[in-house]
């Protein structure tokens, strides 16, 4: 009789632990990471992913990811631990991107990245934002999220929403919140 009650207590504790683990299953997941449901619908999964984004034979970006999950007949790729390099018209590297996750549309060459996104230009400009969208056909990065752009010489601008070339040479700020360290040319000004 005593052995049965110990076994019942063990079963109850095990069920409680499983229930607690399941109730937290979605916490901490990043946007676009649907866990097992995403894996169930994957066409294929690749580790150590690398792809080139070109425009008329000109290399525009090279995208790397630790994990790539191919979906929708391989027209959409869900990426984890994203790193990308952007290249200019001469083929020289102009900037680097890092992010926690991303989605790459192979139909229209659009990369969306989010989770601690950082773009660093080769001349020292750094843009930090929660999310960006890179549109290959326009050679443009944009976001409607908050951002911080810093430049050498301790210049800094904070705002919400921007459009820029990947090298951060021409940045259009949609809404300025604050700036310091020098002057900035504002659109329409």
């Amino acid at each position: 009789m005593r052995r049965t009650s110990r076994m019942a207590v063990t079963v109850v504790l095990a069920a409680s632990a499983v229930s607690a683990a399941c109730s937290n299953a979605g916490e901490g997941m990043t946007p676009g990471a649907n866990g097992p449901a995403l894996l169930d619908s994957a066409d294929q999964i690749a580790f150590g992913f690398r792809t080139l984004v070109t425009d008329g034979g000109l290399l525009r970006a090279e995208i790397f990811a630790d994990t790539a999950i191919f979906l929708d007949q391989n027209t959409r790729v869900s990426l984890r631990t994203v790193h990308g390099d952007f290249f200019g018209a001469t083929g020289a590297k102009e900037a680097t991107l890092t992010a926690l996750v991303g989605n790459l549309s192979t139909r229209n060459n659009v990369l969306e990245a989010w989770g601690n996104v950082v773009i660093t230009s080769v001349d020292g400009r750094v843009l930090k934002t929660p999310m960006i969208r890179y549109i290959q056909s326009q050679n443009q990065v944009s976001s409607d999220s908050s951002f911080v752009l810093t430049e050498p010489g301790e210049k800094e601008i904070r705002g919400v929403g921007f459009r820029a070339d990947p090298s951060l040479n021409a940045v259009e700020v949609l809404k300025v919140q604050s700036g310091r360290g020098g002057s900035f040319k504002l659109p329409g000004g």
Side-chain angles (χ1 to χ4, degrees), residues 108-151:
N108 53 15
N109 282 334
V110 172
L111 171 69
E112 292 180 335
W114 55 92
N116 300 325
V117 178
V118 178
I119 299 176
T120 306
S121 70
V122 293
D123 57 357
R125 286 185 287 276
V126 178
L127 184 132
K128 295 179 180 180
T129 185
M131 182 270 181
I132 64 106
R133 176 176 291 115
Y134 168 66
I135 303 172
Q136 175 268 326
S137 63
Q138 299 172 3
N139 194 35
Q140 180 184 77
V141 292
S142 63
S143 179
D144 57 3
S145 298
S146 61
F147 71 91
V148 177
L149 173 64
T150 56
E151 294 185 6

Side-chain angles (χ1 to χ4, degrees), residues 14-93:
S16 297
V18 169
S19 175
C22 291
S23 67
N24 294 331
E27 288 183 17
M29 295 192 73
T30 53
N34 295 330
L38 185 67
L39 294 175
D40 285 346
S41 60
D43 297 329
Q44 59 182 311
I45 300 172
F47 301 98
F49 174 80
R50 174 184 176 251
T51 191
L52 303 176
V53 178
T54 60
D55 181 22
L58 181 65
L59 178 63
R60 286 298 190 182
E62 185 174 21
I63 309 296
F64 302 90
D66 285 354
T67 307
I69 302 167
F70 292 81
L71 304 156
D72 303 331
Q73 300 176 342
N74 293 336
T75 60
R76 183 169 57 99
V77 187
S78 182
L79 306 170
R80 302 295 177 269
T81 313
V82 181
H83 172 89
D85 294 323
F86 295 109
F87 300 91
T90 63
K93 181 175 158 181

Side-chain angles (χ1 to χ4, degrees), residues 150 153-158 178-184:
T150 56
E154 298 189 26
K155 288 184 180 181
E156 177 183 280
I157 188 165
R158 293 175 180 269
S178 67
R180 65 176 174 84
S183 62
F184 291 91

